Protein backbone atom coordinates (compact mmCIF):
# COMPACT_ATOMS: atom_id res chain seq x y z
CA UNK A 1 0.00 0.00 0.00
CA UNK A 2 1.35 3.44 -0.96
CA UNK A 3 2.00 6.17 1.59
CA UNK A 4 -0.96 8.08 0.12
CA UNK A 5 -3.27 5.09 0.50
CA UNK A 6 -2.11 4.56 4.09
CA UNK A 7 -2.82 8.21 4.84
CA UNK A 8 -6.28 7.96 3.24
CA UNK A 9 -7.11 4.88 5.28
CA UNK A 10 -6.00 6.61 8.48
CA UNK A 11 -8.15 9.66 7.71
CA UNK A 12 -11.10 7.41 6.94
CA UNK A 13 -10.75 5.55 10.25
CA UNK A 14 -10.57 8.85 12.10
CA UNK A 15 -13.69 10.11 10.33
CA UNK A 16 -15.64 6.95 11.17
CA UNK A 17 -14.52 7.07 14.81
CA UNK A 18 -15.41 10.74 15.13
CA UNK A 19 -18.79 10.35 13.41
CA UNK A 20 -19.78 7.35 15.53
CA UNK A 21 -19.03 9.14 18.78
CA UNK A 22 -20.70 12.38 17.66
CA UNK A 23 -23.90 10.53 16.75
CA UNK A 24 -24.10 8.58 20.02
CA UNK A 25 -26.58 10.63 22.01
CA UNK A 26 -28.92 11.10 19.04
CA UNK A 27 -28.79 7.41 18.23
CA UNK A 28 -29.62 6.40 21.78
CA UNK A 29 -32.49 8.84 21.91
CA UNK A 30 -33.83 7.47 18.63
CA UNK A 31 -33.42 3.88 19.83
CA UNK A 32 -35.35 4.62 23.01
CA UNK A 33 -38.25 5.93 20.91
CA UNK A 34 -38.32 3.19 18.27
CA UNK A 35 -36.84 -0.28 18.63
CA UNK A 36 -37.86 -3.89 18.38
CA UNK A 37 -39.08 -5.42 21.61
CA UNK A 38 -38.91 -9.06 20.47
CA UNK A 39 -35.84 -11.31 20.34
CA UNK A 40 -33.72 -11.65 18.34
CA UNK A 41 -34.65 -8.43 16.51
CA UNK A 42 -33.96 -6.32 19.60
CA UNK A 43 -30.24 -7.10 19.37
CA UNK A 44 -29.74 -6.73 15.60
CA UNK A 45 -28.23 -3.76 13.78
CA UNK A 46 -27.94 -3.26 10.03
CA UNK A 47 -24.71 -1.56 8.97
CA UNK A 48 -24.47 -0.25 5.39
CA UNK A 49 -21.52 1.59 3.84
CA UNK A 50 -20.71 3.03 0.42
CA UNK A 51 -17.88 4.86 -1.31
CA UNK A 52 -20.36 6.73 -3.50
CA UNK A 53 -19.37 4.80 -6.63
CA UNK A 54 -20.50 1.25 -5.89
CA UNK A 55 -23.64 -0.21 -4.37
CA UNK A 56 -23.71 -0.28 -0.58
CA UNK A 57 -22.32 -3.29 1.24
CA UNK A 58 -24.49 -4.35 4.17
CA UNK A 59 -23.96 -6.57 7.17
CA UNK A 60 -26.10 -7.58 10.11
CA UNK A 61 -24.46 -7.07 13.50
CA UNK A 62 -25.58 -8.72 16.73
CA UNK A 63 -24.94 -6.43 19.68
CA UNK A 64 -25.40 -6.41 23.43
CA UNK A 65 -28.90 -4.98 23.75
CA UNK A 66 -28.32 -4.28 27.46
CA UNK A 67 -25.78 -1.63 26.45
CA UNK A 68 -28.44 0.14 24.38
CA UNK A 69 -30.94 -0.10 27.23
CA UNK A 70 -28.36 1.33 29.60
CA UNK A 71 -27.45 4.14 27.21
CA UNK A 72 -23.88 2.89 26.82
CA UNK A 73 -23.25 3.68 23.16
CA UNK A 74 -19.49 3.70 23.60
CA UNK A 75 -19.63 -0.03 24.42
CA UNK A 76 -20.89 -0.70 20.88
CA UNK A 77 -18.53 1.61 19.01
CA UNK A 78 -15.58 -0.86 18.69
CA UNK A 79 -17.78 -3.55 17.12
CA UNK A 80 -19.29 -1.01 14.75
CA UNK A 81 -15.86 0.27 13.73
CA UNK A 82 -14.70 -3.27 13.11
CA UNK A 83 -17.74 -4.05 10.95
CA UNK A 84 -17.36 -0.83 8.95
CA UNK A 85 -13.64 -1.43 8.41
CA UNK A 86 -14.34 -4.95 7.20
CA UNK A 87 -16.92 -3.70 4.69
CA UNK A 88 -14.64 -0.85 3.61
CA UNK A 89 -12.16 -3.32 2.12
CA UNK A 90 -14.69 -4.15 -0.60
CA UNK A 91 -14.52 -0.67 -2.14
CA UNK A 92 -12.04 1.08 -4.37
CA UNK A 93 -12.48 4.53 -2.80
CA UNK A 94 -12.75 5.91 0.75
CA UNK A 95 -16.17 5.59 2.34
CA UNK A 96 -18.47 8.56 2.08
CA UNK A 97 -21.52 7.24 3.89
CA UNK A 98 -22.59 4.77 6.55
CA UNK A 99 -26.07 3.85 7.77
CA UNK A 100 -26.66 2.17 11.12
CA UNK A 101 -30.22 0.94 11.62
CA UNK A 102 -32.23 -1.32 13.83
CA UNK A 103 -35.65 -2.96 13.37
CA UNK A 104 -38.92 -1.87 14.90
CA UNK A 105 -42.60 -2.59 14.14
CA UNK A 106 -41.81 -6.27 13.53
CA UNK A 107 -44.68 -8.38 12.14
CA UNK A 108 -44.63 -12.16 11.65
CA UNK A 109 -46.36 -13.85 8.75
CA UNK A 110 -46.25 -16.68 6.24
CA UNK A 111 -44.65 -16.35 2.82
CA UNK A 112 -47.72 -17.34 0.78
CA UNK A 113 -49.99 -14.89 2.58
CA UNK A 114 -47.36 -12.16 2.30
CA UNK A 115 -47.18 -12.57 -1.49
CA UNK A 116 -50.92 -12.00 -1.64
CA UNK A 117 -50.67 -9.00 0.70
CA UNK A 118 -48.08 -7.38 -1.59
CA UNK A 119 -50.77 -6.94 -4.23
CA UNK A 120 -52.30 -4.23 -2.04
CA UNK A 121 -49.23 -2.02 -2.49
CA UNK A 122 -48.39 0.16 -5.45
CA UNK A 123 -45.29 -0.94 -7.38
CA UNK A 124 -42.13 -0.07 -5.37
CA UNK A 125 -44.26 1.26 -2.49
CA UNK A 126 -43.88 -1.65 -0.08
CA UNK A 127 -41.76 0.21 2.44
CA UNK A 128 -40.76 -2.47 4.98
CA UNK A 129 -37.79 -4.80 5.21
CA UNK A 130 -38.08 -8.58 5.24
CA UNK A 131 -36.49 -11.18 7.48
CA UNK A 132 -36.20 -14.94 7.18
CA UNK A 133 -34.92 -17.75 9.37
CA UNK A 134 -31.23 -18.40 8.84
CA UNK A 135 -29.11 -21.47 9.33
CA UNK A 136 -26.06 -19.73 10.77
CA UNK A 137 -27.82 -16.49 11.66
CA UNK A 138 -30.95 -16.23 13.77
CA UNK A 139 -32.54 -13.93 11.17
CA UNK A 140 -31.59 -12.98 7.64
CA UNK A 141 -32.42 -9.29 7.39
CA UNK A 142 -32.95 -7.31 4.18
CA UNK A 143 -33.89 -3.67 4.69
CA UNK A 144 -36.52 -1.88 2.62
CA UNK A 145 -33.83 0.03 0.72
CA UNK A 146 -31.93 -3.17 -0.09
CA UNK A 147 -35.10 -4.78 -1.43
CA UNK A 148 -36.26 -1.90 -3.58
CA UNK A 149 -32.84 -0.82 -4.85
CA UNK A 150 -32.24 -4.38 -6.07
CA UNK A 151 -35.72 -4.63 -7.64
CA UNK A 152 -36.61 -7.58 -5.40
CA UNK A 153 -40.26 -6.46 -5.22
CA UNK A 154 -40.59 -5.27 -8.83
CA UNK A 155 -42.52 -7.48 -11.21
CA UNK A 156 -41.95 -5.32 -14.29
CA UNK A 157 -43.42 -2.14 -15.72
CA UNK A 158 -46.61 -3.93 -16.73
CA UNK A 159 -47.39 -4.98 -13.14
CA UNK A 160 -48.86 -2.06 -11.23
CA UNK A 161 -48.57 -3.57 -7.76
CA UNK A 162 -45.64 -4.79 -5.70
CA UNK A 163 -44.62 -8.34 -6.54
CA UNK A 164 -41.80 -10.67 -5.56
CA UNK A 165 -39.12 -10.88 -8.22
CA UNK A 166 -37.81 -14.25 -7.16
CA UNK A 167 -34.69 -14.15 -9.32
CA UNK A 168 -33.59 -10.75 -8.01
CA UNK A 169 -34.45 -11.68 -4.43
CA UNK A 170 -32.49 -14.92 -4.49
CA UNK A 171 -29.53 -13.29 -6.24
CA UNK A 172 -29.29 -10.56 -3.62
CA UNK A 173 -29.88 -12.93 -0.69
CA UNK A 174 -27.07 -15.14 -1.96
CA UNK A 175 -24.70 -12.18 -2.22
CA UNK A 176 -25.68 -10.84 1.18
CA UNK A 177 -26.08 -13.98 3.31
CA UNK A 178 -24.65 -16.85 1.24
CA UNK A 179 -26.39 -19.53 -0.79
CA UNK A 180 -26.18 -22.04 2.08
CA UNK A 181 -28.73 -19.99 4.02
CA UNK A 182 -31.25 -19.62 1.17
CA UNK A 183 -34.82 -19.92 2.50
CA UNK A 184 -37.18 -22.48 1.01
CA UNK A 185 -39.79 -19.88 0.01
CA UNK A 186 -42.55 -22.42 0.61
CA UNK A 187 -45.92 -20.81 1.17
CA UNK A 188 -45.97 -21.86 4.84
CA UNK A 189 -42.44 -20.59 5.50
CA UNK A 190 -42.36 -18.07 8.37
CA UNK A 191 -41.13 -14.57 7.56
CA UNK A 192 -41.15 -11.18 9.19
CA UNK A 193 -41.54 -7.62 7.98
CA UNK A 194 -40.05 -4.69 9.85
CA UNK A 195 -39.39 -0.98 9.69
CA UNK A 196 -36.06 0.57 10.63
CA UNK A 197 -34.88 3.59 12.56
CA UNK A 198 -31.31 4.76 12.66
CA UNK A 199 -28.69 7.24 11.60
CA UNK A 200 -26.74 8.15 8.46
CA UNK A 201 -23.11 9.16 8.93
CA UNK A 202 -21.84 11.49 6.18
CA UNK A 203 -18.11 10.79 6.00
CA UNK A 204 -17.08 12.45 2.76
CA UNK A 205 -16.87 16.11 3.75
CA UNK A 206 -14.22 18.01 5.64
CA UNK A 207 -16.22 17.55 8.83
CA UNK A 208 -18.18 14.30 9.35
CA UNK A 209 -21.83 14.82 10.16
CA UNK A 210 -24.85 12.68 10.90
CA UNK A 211 -28.56 12.68 10.19
CA UNK A 212 -31.22 10.68 11.97
CA UNK A 213 -33.35 8.61 9.59
CA UNK A 214 -37.05 9.29 9.48
CA UNK A 215 -39.51 6.95 11.16
CA UNK A 216 -42.53 8.47 9.39
CA UNK A 217 -43.98 5.69 7.19
CA UNK A 218 -43.90 7.53 3.86
CA UNK A 219 -40.47 9.01 4.63
CA UNK A 220 -38.64 5.84 5.64
CA UNK A 221 -35.17 5.52 4.20
CA UNK A 222 -34.22 9.19 4.17
CA UNK A 223 -33.08 11.70 6.75
CA UNK A 224 -35.43 13.46 9.13
CA UNK A 225 -36.08 16.99 7.91
CA UNK A 226 -38.05 19.83 9.46
CA UNK A 227 -40.55 21.70 7.24
CA UNK A 228 -38.82 23.30 4.28
CA UNK A 229 -37.38 26.77 4.81
CA UNK A 230 -35.93 29.19 2.25
CA UNK A 231 -32.45 27.87 3.12
CA UNK A 232 -33.24 24.15 2.95
CA UNK A 233 -35.23 24.61 -0.26
CA UNK A 234 -32.28 26.55 -1.69
CA UNK A 235 -30.02 23.59 -0.94
CA UNK A 236 -32.31 21.25 -2.89
CA UNK A 237 -32.42 23.74 -5.76
CA UNK A 238 -28.65 24.14 -5.89
CA UNK A 239 -27.96 20.40 -5.71
CA UNK A 240 -30.55 19.39 -8.29
CA UNK A 241 -29.61 22.25 -10.64
CA UNK A 242 -26.02 21.09 -10.65
CA UNK A 243 -27.19 17.51 -11.16
CA UNK A 244 -29.29 18.49 -14.18
CA UNK A 245 -26.44 20.58 -15.58
CA UNK A 246 -24.05 17.63 -15.29
CA UNK A 247 -26.30 15.64 -17.59
CA UNK A 248 -25.44 17.99 -20.49
CA UNK A 249 -22.69 16.36 -22.53
CA UNK A 250 -20.02 18.00 -24.68
CA UNK A 251 -22.27 17.78 -27.76
CA UNK A 252 -25.13 19.57 -25.98
CA UNK A 253 -27.26 16.45 -25.63
CA UNK A 254 -28.36 15.32 -22.19
CA UNK A 255 -27.78 11.97 -20.62
CA UNK A 256 -31.49 11.34 -20.94
CA UNK A 257 -31.93 9.27 -17.82
CA UNK A 258 -31.18 6.20 -15.74
CA UNK A 259 -32.87 3.18 -14.26
CA UNK A 260 -30.60 3.16 -11.21
CA UNK A 261 -31.34 -0.27 -9.74
CA UNK A 262 -28.92 -1.73 -12.28
CA UNK A 263 -27.42 1.51 -13.70
CA UNK A 264 -29.13 1.19 -17.06
CA UNK A 265 -29.22 4.26 -19.28
CA UNK A 266 -32.51 5.18 -20.91
CA UNK A 267 -31.68 4.69 -24.56
CA UNK A 268 -34.35 6.89 -26.13
CA UNK A 269 -34.39 10.67 -26.58
CA UNK A 270 -37.08 13.32 -26.68
CA UNK A 271 -36.36 16.83 -27.96
CA UNK A 272 -39.43 18.27 -26.24
CA UNK A 273 -37.99 17.16 -22.90
CA UNK A 274 -34.54 18.41 -23.92
CA UNK A 275 -36.03 21.88 -24.35
CA UNK A 276 -38.26 21.83 -21.28
CA UNK A 277 -35.42 20.56 -19.09
CA UNK A 278 -33.23 23.38 -20.34
CA UNK A 279 -35.97 25.82 -19.35
CA UNK A 280 -35.94 24.35 -15.83
CA UNK A 281 -32.15 24.42 -15.80
CA UNK A 282 -32.33 28.14 -16.52
CA UNK A 283 -34.79 28.59 -13.64
CA UNK A 284 -32.39 26.79 -11.33
CA UNK A 285 -29.43 28.78 -12.64
CA UNK A 286 -31.28 32.05 -12.08
CA UNK A 287 -32.08 31.06 -8.50
CA UNK A 288 -28.47 30.03 -7.84
CA UNK A 289 -27.14 33.21 -9.46
CA UNK A 290 -29.37 35.74 -7.69
CA UNK A 291 -28.95 34.10 -4.27
CA UNK A 292 -25.29 33.14 -4.71
CA UNK A 293 -26.05 29.53 -3.93
CA UNK A 294 -23.04 28.40 -5.98
CA UNK A 295 -19.56 29.78 -6.43
CA UNK A 296 -18.34 31.55 -9.58
CA UNK A 297 -16.78 28.46 -11.12
CA UNK A 298 -19.91 26.39 -10.59
CA UNK A 299 -22.04 29.14 -12.15
CA UNK A 300 -19.68 29.32 -15.13
CA UNK A 301 -20.02 25.59 -15.61
CA UNK A 302 -23.81 25.85 -15.54
CA UNK A 303 -23.75 28.75 -18.00
CA UNK A 304 -21.67 26.65 -20.41
CA UNK A 305 -23.98 23.65 -20.00
CA UNK A 306 -27.03 25.80 -20.79
CA UNK A 307 -25.32 27.29 -23.84
CA UNK A 308 -24.42 23.85 -25.18
CA UNK A 309 -27.96 22.54 -24.69
CA UNK A 310 -29.54 25.50 -26.52
CA UNK A 311 -26.99 25.49 -29.31
CA UNK A 312 -27.65 21.80 -29.87
CA UNK A 313 -31.40 22.48 -30.02
CA UNK A 314 -30.97 25.35 -32.46
CA UNK A 315 -28.45 23.69 -34.74
CA UNK A 316 -29.82 20.14 -34.87
CA UNK A 317 -33.54 20.19 -34.17
CA UNK A 318 -35.20 23.25 -35.69
CA UNK A 319 -36.34 23.76 -39.26
CA UNK A 320 -37.78 26.90 -40.88
CA UNK A 321 -40.66 27.00 -43.37
CA UNK A 322 -41.98 30.25 -44.83
CA UNK A 323 -40.77 32.36 -41.93
CA UNK A 324 -42.01 29.98 -39.23
CA UNK A 325 -39.83 27.59 -37.23
CA UNK A 326 -40.59 24.12 -35.93
CA UNK A 327 -38.83 21.76 -33.55
CA UNK A 328 -38.39 18.36 -35.17
CA UNK A 329 -38.51 15.49 -32.70
CA UNK A 330 -37.63 11.81 -32.90
CA UNK A 331 -39.49 10.15 -35.75
CA UNK A 332 -39.29 13.24 -37.96
CA UNK A 333 -42.39 14.78 -36.41
CA UNK A 334 -43.29 18.23 -35.15
CA UNK A 335 -44.97 18.42 -31.74
CA UNK A 336 -46.88 21.51 -30.69
CA UNK A 337 -45.48 21.12 -27.18
CA UNK A 338 -41.88 21.01 -28.40
CA UNK A 339 -42.23 24.39 -30.12
CA UNK A 340 -43.76 25.71 -26.92
CA UNK A 341 -41.13 24.61 -24.43
CA UNK A 342 -38.37 25.71 -26.81
CA UNK A 343 -39.86 29.21 -26.68
CA UNK A 344 -39.98 29.06 -22.89
CA UNK A 345 -36.28 28.17 -22.78
CA UNK A 346 -35.27 30.88 -25.29
CA UNK A 347 -37.29 33.61 -23.57
CA UNK A 348 -35.91 32.58 -20.19
CA UNK A 349 -32.38 32.66 -21.60
CA UNK A 350 -32.87 36.25 -22.75
CA UNK A 351 -34.25 37.28 -19.36
CA UNK A 352 -31.61 35.56 -17.25
CA UNK A 353 -28.54 36.10 -19.42
CA UNK A 354 -29.57 39.54 -20.78
CA UNK A 355 -28.76 38.18 -24.23
CA UNK A 356 -31.19 38.46 -27.15
CA UNK A 357 -29.39 36.11 -29.55
CA UNK A 358 -32.44 33.83 -29.67
CA UNK A 359 -35.14 36.51 -29.93
CA UNK A 360 -35.80 36.07 -33.67
CA UNK A 361 -35.87 32.30 -33.33
CA UNK A 362 -38.43 32.52 -30.50
CA UNK A 363 -40.68 34.65 -32.73
CA UNK A 364 -40.35 32.16 -35.60
CA UNK A 365 -41.26 29.26 -33.29
CA UNK A 366 -44.27 31.23 -32.05
CA UNK A 367 -45.40 31.76 -35.64
CA UNK A 368 -45.18 27.99 -36.05
CA UNK A 369 -47.59 27.60 -33.12
CA UNK A 370 -50.00 30.17 -34.59
CA UNK A 371 -50.06 28.21 -37.83
CA UNK A 372 -50.99 25.08 -35.86
CA UNK A 373 -54.12 26.78 -34.51
CA UNK A 374 -57.45 26.00 -36.16
CA UNK A 375 -60.45 28.25 -36.74
CA UNK A 376 -62.23 27.12 -33.54
CA UNK A 377 -59.19 28.05 -31.40
CA UNK A 378 -57.94 24.50 -30.92
CA UNK A 379 -54.44 23.44 -31.85
CA UNK A 380 -53.30 20.50 -33.96
CA UNK A 381 -50.79 18.56 -31.95
CA UNK A 382 -48.49 16.67 -34.33
CA UNK A 383 -47.34 17.33 -37.91
CA UNK A 384 -45.13 15.40 -40.28
CA UNK A 385 -41.89 17.38 -40.56
CA UNK A 386 -41.37 16.52 -44.23
CA UNK A 387 -44.35 18.47 -45.55
CA UNK A 388 -46.13 19.91 -42.45
CA UNK A 389 -49.08 17.62 -43.10
CA UNK A 390 -51.30 16.57 -40.20
CA UNK A 391 -50.19 13.47 -38.33
CA UNK A 392 -52.32 13.68 -35.16
CA UNK A 393 -54.99 16.22 -34.40
CA UNK A 394 -54.76 15.52 -30.67
CA UNK A 395 -52.13 13.65 -28.68
CA UNK A 396 -51.98 14.96 -25.10
CA UNK A 397 -53.72 17.88 -23.43
CA UNK A 398 -50.42 19.16 -22.02
CA UNK A 399 -49.48 20.47 -25.47
CA UNK A 400 -52.34 22.98 -25.37
CA UNK A 401 -51.28 24.48 -22.06
CA UNK A 402 -47.63 24.51 -23.05
CA UNK A 403 -48.40 26.37 -26.29
CA UNK A 404 -50.58 29.00 -24.64
CA UNK A 405 -48.11 29.49 -21.77
CA UNK A 406 -45.19 29.91 -24.14
CA UNK A 407 -47.01 32.50 -26.21
CA UNK A 408 -47.90 34.43 -23.06
CA UNK A 409 -44.29 34.42 -21.89
CA UNK A 410 -43.19 35.66 -25.30
CA UNK A 411 -45.93 38.29 -25.28
CA UNK A 412 -44.62 39.51 -21.94
CA UNK A 413 -41.22 39.93 -23.58
CA UNK A 414 -42.23 41.50 -26.93
CA UNK A 415 -45.83 42.75 -26.52
CA UNK A 416 -46.58 41.40 -29.97
CA UNK A 417 -50.42 41.38 -30.05
CA UNK A 418 -50.46 38.38 -32.37
CA UNK A 419 -49.32 36.10 -29.56
CA UNK A 420 -51.94 37.36 -27.11
CA UNK A 421 -54.70 37.09 -29.72
CA UNK A 422 -53.79 33.45 -30.33
CA UNK A 423 -53.99 32.67 -26.60
CA UNK A 424 -57.33 34.47 -26.14
CA UNK A 425 -58.77 32.48 -29.03
CA UNK A 426 -57.37 29.26 -27.60
CA UNK A 427 -58.84 29.98 -24.18
CA UNK A 428 -62.30 30.39 -25.65
CA UNK A 429 -61.89 26.84 -26.88
CA UNK A 430 -60.40 25.59 -23.59
CA UNK A 431 -63.28 27.03 -21.58
CA UNK A 432 -65.99 25.78 -23.94
CA UNK A 433 -64.51 22.29 -23.91
CA UNK A 434 -63.86 21.91 -20.19
CA UNK A 435 -60.08 21.71 -20.30
CA UNK A 436 -59.95 22.54 -16.59
CA UNK A 437 -61.08 18.97 -15.90
CA UNK A 438 -57.52 17.85 -16.65
CA UNK A 439 -56.11 19.93 -13.73
CA UNK A 440 -53.13 20.65 -15.96
CA UNK A 441 -50.22 22.57 -14.46
CA UNK A 442 -49.34 24.07 -17.87
CA UNK A 443 -52.83 25.54 -18.17
CA UNK A 444 -52.42 26.90 -14.64
CA UNK A 445 -49.14 28.55 -15.65
CA UNK A 446 -50.78 30.05 -18.71
CA UNK A 447 -53.85 31.32 -16.87
CA UNK A 448 -51.63 33.06 -14.37
CA UNK A 449 -49.83 34.87 -17.21
CA UNK A 450 -53.03 35.69 -19.05
CA UNK A 451 -54.77 37.39 -16.12
CA UNK A 452 -51.80 39.71 -15.76
CA UNK A 453 -52.83 41.31 -19.07
CA UNK A 454 -56.50 40.30 -19.35
CA UNK A 455 -57.80 40.17 -15.76
CA UNK A 456 -61.24 38.92 -16.79
CA UNK A 457 -63.66 37.01 -14.60
CA UNK A 458 -63.88 34.02 -16.91
CA UNK A 459 -60.14 33.39 -16.72
CA UNK A 460 -60.10 33.56 -12.94
CA UNK A 461 -63.09 31.21 -12.83
CA UNK A 462 -61.23 28.80 -15.11
CA UNK A 463 -58.19 28.91 -12.79
CA UNK A 464 -60.38 28.11 -9.77
CA UNK A 465 -62.07 25.21 -11.55
CA UNK A 466 -58.62 23.89 -12.48
CA UNK A 467 -57.88 23.18 -8.79
CA UNK A 468 -61.37 22.83 -7.29
CA UNK A 469 -62.11 19.28 -6.22
CA UNK A 470 -58.43 18.41 -6.57
CA UNK A 471 -57.07 19.74 -3.28
CA UNK A 472 -57.31 16.46 -1.38
CA UNK A 473 -55.47 14.73 -4.21
CA UNK A 474 -52.69 17.36 -4.12
CA UNK A 475 -52.30 16.83 -0.38
CA UNK A 476 -52.60 13.05 -0.14
CA UNK A 477 -51.29 11.48 -3.36
CA UNK A 478 -48.83 8.72 -2.38
CA UNK A 479 -46.57 9.29 -5.39
CA UNK A 480 -44.46 12.44 -5.31
CA UNK A 481 -46.19 13.75 -8.50
CA UNK A 482 -44.09 16.94 -8.76
CA UNK A 483 -46.40 18.66 -11.26
CA UNK A 484 -48.95 18.95 -8.45
CA UNK A 485 -46.64 21.47 -6.80
CA UNK A 486 -46.25 23.32 -10.11
CA UNK A 487 -50.04 23.46 -10.45
CA UNK A 488 -50.37 24.75 -6.90
CA UNK A 489 -47.67 27.38 -7.27
CA UNK A 490 -49.19 28.71 -10.50
CA UNK A 491 -52.59 29.01 -8.82
CA UNK A 492 -50.99 30.72 -5.82
CA UNK A 493 -49.65 33.41 -8.15
CA UNK A 494 -53.09 33.78 -9.69
CA UNK A 495 -54.49 34.31 -6.19
CA UNK A 496 -51.97 37.11 -5.65
CA UNK A 497 -53.28 38.82 -8.78
CA UNK A 498 -56.86 38.28 -7.65
CA UNK A 499 -56.11 39.98 -4.32
CA UNK A 500 -55.71 43.24 -6.23
CA UNK A 501 -59.23 42.90 -7.65
CA UNK A 502 -61.74 42.85 -4.77
CA UNK A 503 -64.64 43.13 -7.22
CA UNK A 504 -63.88 39.57 -8.36
CA UNK A 505 -63.36 38.04 -4.92
CA UNK A 506 -66.59 36.03 -5.23
CA UNK A 507 -64.96 33.70 -7.79
CA UNK A 508 -63.35 32.02 -4.79
CA UNK A 509 -66.71 31.28 -3.11
CA UNK A 510 -66.77 27.62 -2.11
CA UNK A 511 -63.00 27.16 -2.38
CA UNK A 512 -61.27 26.43 0.92
CA UNK A 513 -58.15 28.61 0.64
CA UNK A 514 -56.68 27.37 3.91
CA UNK A 515 -57.04 23.78 2.72
CA UNK A 516 -55.41 24.70 -0.58
CA UNK A 517 -52.35 26.19 1.10
CA UNK A 518 -52.11 23.27 3.50
CA UNK A 519 -52.09 20.94 0.48
CA UNK A 520 -49.49 23.10 -1.29
CA UNK A 521 -47.06 23.03 1.64
CA UNK A 522 -47.68 19.32 2.22
CA UNK A 523 -46.91 18.53 -1.41
CA UNK A 524 -43.75 20.67 -1.45
CA UNK A 525 -42.35 18.90 1.60
CA UNK A 526 -43.39 15.51 0.26
CA UNK A 527 -41.16 16.02 -2.78
CA UNK A 528 -38.17 15.34 -0.53
CA UNK A 529 -39.22 11.68 -0.66
CA UNK A 530 -38.25 11.70 -4.34
CA UNK A 531 -34.80 13.23 -3.85
CA UNK A 532 -31.75 11.04 -4.13
CA UNK A 533 -30.21 11.88 -0.78
CA UNK A 534 -26.83 10.15 -0.37
CA UNK A 535 -28.33 7.80 2.20
CA UNK A 536 -30.82 6.64 -0.44
CA UNK A 537 -28.57 6.68 -3.52
CA UNK A 538 -25.97 4.51 -1.78
CA UNK A 539 -28.05 1.35 -2.25
CA UNK A 540 -28.21 1.63 -6.04
CA UNK A 541 -25.62 0.24 -8.43
CA UNK A 542 -23.78 3.49 -9.24
CA UNK A 543 -24.72 6.07 -6.58
CA UNK A 544 -22.67 8.90 -8.08
CA UNK A 545 -24.75 8.86 -11.28
CA UNK A 546 -28.03 9.65 -9.50
CA UNK A 547 -27.17 11.36 -6.20
CA UNK A 548 -28.80 14.82 -5.98
CA UNK A 549 -31.23 13.95 -8.75
CA UNK A 550 -34.94 13.30 -8.35
CA UNK A 551 -36.64 9.99 -9.05
CA UNK A 552 -40.04 8.49 -9.75
CA UNK A 553 -40.38 5.58 -7.34
CA UNK A 554 -43.12 3.61 -9.13
CA UNK A 555 -41.14 3.70 -12.38
CA UNK A 556 -38.33 1.65 -10.83
CA UNK A 557 -36.79 4.79 -9.28
CA UNK A 558 -36.32 6.25 -12.75
CA UNK A 559 -34.27 9.44 -12.99
CA UNK A 560 -35.02 11.25 -16.26
CA UNK A 561 -34.22 14.83 -17.16
CA UNK A 562 -37.89 15.83 -17.29
CA UNK A 563 -38.48 14.21 -13.88
CA UNK A 564 -35.79 16.47 -12.44
CA UNK A 565 -37.23 19.38 -14.43
CA UNK A 566 -40.64 19.24 -12.77
CA UNK A 567 -39.31 18.85 -9.24
CA UNK A 568 -36.88 21.72 -9.81
CA UNK A 569 -39.41 24.13 -11.33
CA UNK A 570 -41.84 23.52 -8.48
CA UNK A 571 -39.22 24.04 -5.78
CA UNK A 572 -37.88 27.23 -7.39
CA UNK A 573 -41.37 28.70 -7.27
CA UNK A 574 -41.97 27.35 -3.75
CA UNK A 575 -38.84 28.97 -2.40
CA UNK A 576 -40.08 32.33 -3.68
CA UNK A 577 -43.27 31.79 -1.71
CA UNK A 578 -41.26 31.03 1.42
CA UNK A 579 -39.00 34.04 0.88
CA UNK A 580 -42.15 36.16 0.72
CA UNK A 581 -42.98 34.98 4.24
CA UNK A 582 -45.76 32.52 3.40
CA UNK A 583 -45.35 29.65 5.87
CA UNK A 584 -47.29 26.43 6.23
CA UNK A 585 -50.67 27.05 7.79
CA UNK A 586 -50.97 30.65 6.59
CA UNK A 587 -53.27 31.72 3.83
Amino acid sequence: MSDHAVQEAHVAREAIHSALHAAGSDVLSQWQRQHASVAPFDSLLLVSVSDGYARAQVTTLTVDVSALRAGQWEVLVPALEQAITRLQRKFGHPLVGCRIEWPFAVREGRWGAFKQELMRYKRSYFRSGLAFEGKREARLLLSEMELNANACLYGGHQVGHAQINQAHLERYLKARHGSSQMPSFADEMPMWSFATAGVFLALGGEQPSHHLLSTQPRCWGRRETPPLTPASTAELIARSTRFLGRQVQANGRYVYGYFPCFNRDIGTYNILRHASSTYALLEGYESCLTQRLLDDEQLRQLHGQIDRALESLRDRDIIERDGAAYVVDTGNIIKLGANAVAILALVKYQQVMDDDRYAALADALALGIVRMQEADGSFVHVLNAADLSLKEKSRIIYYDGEAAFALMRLYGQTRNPQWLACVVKAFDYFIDNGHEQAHDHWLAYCTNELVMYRPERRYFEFAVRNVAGYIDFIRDRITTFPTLLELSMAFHKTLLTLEQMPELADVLDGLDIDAFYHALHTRANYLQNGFFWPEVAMYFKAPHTVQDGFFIRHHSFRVRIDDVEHYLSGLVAYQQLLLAGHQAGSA
Side-chain angles (χ1 to χ4, degrees), residues 343-359:
I343 292 169
L344 289 173
L346 299 181
V347 170
K348 192 67 176 177
Y349 184 87
Q350 183 169 347
Q351 293 171 344
V352 174
M353 307 299 189
D354 193 24
D355 184 334
D356 65 357
R357 72 178 71 180
Y358 294 114

Side-chain angles (χ1 to χ4, degrees), residues 392-411:
E392 293 179 50
K393 162 60 179 169
S394 180
R395 173 172 287 193
I396 186 169
I397 198 170
Y398 291 156
Y399 288 179
D400 293 330
E402 288 167 338
F405 177 39
L407 291 180
M408 286 309 307
R409 275 290 171 89
L410 186 58
Y411 175 76

Side-chain angles (χ1 to χ4, degrees), residues 417-555:
Q418 185 178 14
W419 314 143
L420 179 59
C422 181
V423 175
V424 169
K425 186 177 180 181
F427 252 83
D428 289 340
Y429 178 83
F430 297 161
I431 292 170
D432 290 345
N433 288 273
H435 272 32
E436 71 276 9
Q437 295 172 37
H439 306 292
D440 175 22
H441 62 288
W442 292 111
L443 282 173
Y445 277 138
C446 179
T447 310
N448 175 59
E449 300 282 331
L450 182 57
V451 297
M452 291 166 59
Y453 306 100
R454 290 288 187 91
E456 299 176 17
R457 174 180 290 272
R458 61 188 179 134
Y459 300 140
F460 285 110
E461 289 174 340
F462 180 89
V464 171
R465 293 196 302 272
N466 201 34
V467 299
Y470 208 50
I471 292 174
D472 289 350
F473 186 86
I474 293 170
R475 184 191 65 228
D476 296 333
R477 179 65 178 173
I478 189 173
T479 62
T480 44
F481 213 143
T483 56
L484 294 179
L485 180 59
E486 292 187 87
L487 168 65
S488 301
M489 290 310 310
F491 184 62
H492 158 71
K493 292 179 180 178
T494 302
L495 289 176
L496 296 181
T497 303
L498 191 57
E499 285 178 0
Q500 311 306 314
M501 307 185 68
E503 69 276 15
L504 295 179
D506 62 290
V507 302
L508 297 176
D509 288 353
L511 187 72
D512 189 333
I513 299 298
D514 286 339
F516 165 72
Y517 276 109
H518 174 63
L520 181 156
H521 287 291
T522 300
R523 180 55 41 184
N525 281 275
Y526 194 67
L527 293 196
Q528 294 178 93
N529 291 328
F531 185 65
F532 258 129
W533 301 98
E535 63 269 20
V536 177
M538 65 188 287
Y539 289 95
F540 293 82
K541 187 170 183 179
H544 64 288
T545 62
V546 295
Q547 184 172 311
D548 291 347
F550 285 100
F551 61 81
I552 303 298
R553 175 178 279 269
H554 60 285
H555 289 312

